[in-house]
Amino acid sequence: MRYQRVGSGPPVVMLHGLSGSTRWWSRNVEALARQYCVYLVDLPGFGSMARVRQRFALLQAANWMVQWMDAIGLQRAHFIGHSMGGFVCLWIAAHRPEAVERLVLVAPAVIPHVHSIFGYIMPLLKSMRYMTPQFFMVVSTDTLRMGFITLLRAVHDLISIHLDDEIETVQVPTLLIWGEDDTLVPPSLGELLHQKMLHASLRIIPKAGHVCMFDQPAIFNATVKNFLAGH
């Protein structure tokens, strides 16, 4: 198990998305670490944990996160999850609500809108048009480290596992953040999720794609900090 801890204050756990790693938060950590103790976690099979030999399973990764919290003595924290990481964070908020203070879901992949692995290919290609050269290098490196098999297994779980019950049972204050130009997990799903969750608010960031925290970090950071502060 490898993770990073930055800053001091109330704990914030940040989970990356599919093909991702802790590096996807590189434009957000400094701003949050001024007021919070930020935990950056690579899920098994991704980033620094890419060489874990066990077969990737999404629900197993969610349980693994709960075990990690128990192991380091982290009883309660704010959670920020992007895409697949949002799936994991929502599952934790539903099954371990006492562990979650506030929840930030960034374009969470919790409502399947395609029904095959190949259905993700065209939206993924479209999303690349919004990538800066710097982020393209990050995602390329992380994808190569992850490997094609882990990618297929993760996508299979995302489109086959439904969180309808979990979505309706989450009671913690939740902030949904979407990029206006997200082609991979479109903003219309954010509006649908907003309707389903009783304690959620929705913020759509202009001129941003699926990785809105990297595309528009100033807006993202200010929005998240206000929410975590209770505003």
Side-chain angles (χ1 to χ4, degrees):
M1 174 62 200
R2 296 176 181 175
Y3 65 94
Q4 302 172 55
R5 187 176 64 187
V6 187
S8 60
V12 175
V13 177
M14 306 184 78
L15 290 182
H16 60 80
L18 183 65
S19 302
S21 73
T22 57
R23 299 191 301 164
W24 288 31
W25 305 107
S26 60
R27 295 184 173 182
N28 318 114
V29 174
E30 182 179 356
L32 291 173
R34 294 174 188 146
Q35 297 170 255
Y36 298 95
C37 179
V38 179
Y39 290 85
L40 299 161
V41 182
D42 279 330
L43 293 171
F46 298 87
S48 62
M49 296 286 289
R51 297 189 179 276
V52 173
R53 294 182 180 180
Q54 67 191 57
R55 179 189 181 279
F56 178 82
L58 192 53
L59 292 183
Q60 191 175 51
N63 275 299
W64 179 84
M65 279 298 302
V66 172
Q67 295 174 25
W68 166 75
M69 291 183 68
D70 292 339
I72 68 169
L74 185 59
Q75 297 181 349
R76 190 174 178 88
H78 300 299
F79 277 78
I80 304 175
H82 173 246
S83 196
M84 182 184 71
F87 181 108
V88 173
C89 289
L90 189 143
W91 188 94
I92 294 173
H95 292 270
R96 190 81 173 264
E98 71 279 4
V100 181
E101 184 73 32
R102 284 181 167 244
L103 182 63
V104 179
L105 302 178
V106 188
V110 296
I111 302 179
H113 62 289
V114 296
H115 303 288
S116 71
I117 293 174
F118 297 103
Y120 268 99
I121 294 178
M122 188 55 67
L124 182 61
L125 292 175
K126 288 182 179 180
S127 69
M128 294 177 67
R129 62 188 281 198
Y130 295 102
M131 291 184 186
T132 63
Q134 180 185 1
F135 187 74
F136 181 79
M137 293 301 297
V138 172
V139 70
S140 298
T141 303
D142 286 339
T143 301
L144 289 172
R145 283 198 295 177
M146 170 192 60
F148 189 62
I149 298 301
T150 300
L151 174 65
L152 290 180
R153 288 170 174 168
V155 171
H156 173 269
D157 285 356
L158 285 172
I159 64 179
S160 60
I161 300 174
H162 295 265
L163 293 182
D164 295 342
D165 293 339
E166 282 81 359
I167 289 172
E168 295 180 359
T169 58
V170 169
Q171 299 294 318
V172 300
T174 302
L175 173 64
L176 307 173
I177 304 181
W178 246 269
E180 181 182 42
D181 301 316
D182 192 338
T183 59
L184 200 57
V185 183
S188 58
L189 295 179
E191 296 169 359
L192 179 60
L193 188 59
H194 184 211
Q195 295 172 7
K196 289 177 175 288
M197 300 186 73
L198 296 176
H199 305 282
S201 57
L202 173 63
R203 174 70 189 273
I204 297 180
I205 298 179
K207 298 181 180 179
H210 185 57
V211 194
C212 59
M213 68 278 194
F214 199 93
D215 296 339
Q216 297 288 350
I219 298 174
F220 179 90
N221 295 340
T223 302
V224 169
K225 289 170 68 176
N226 284 336
F227 173 73
L228 296 184
H231 304 313

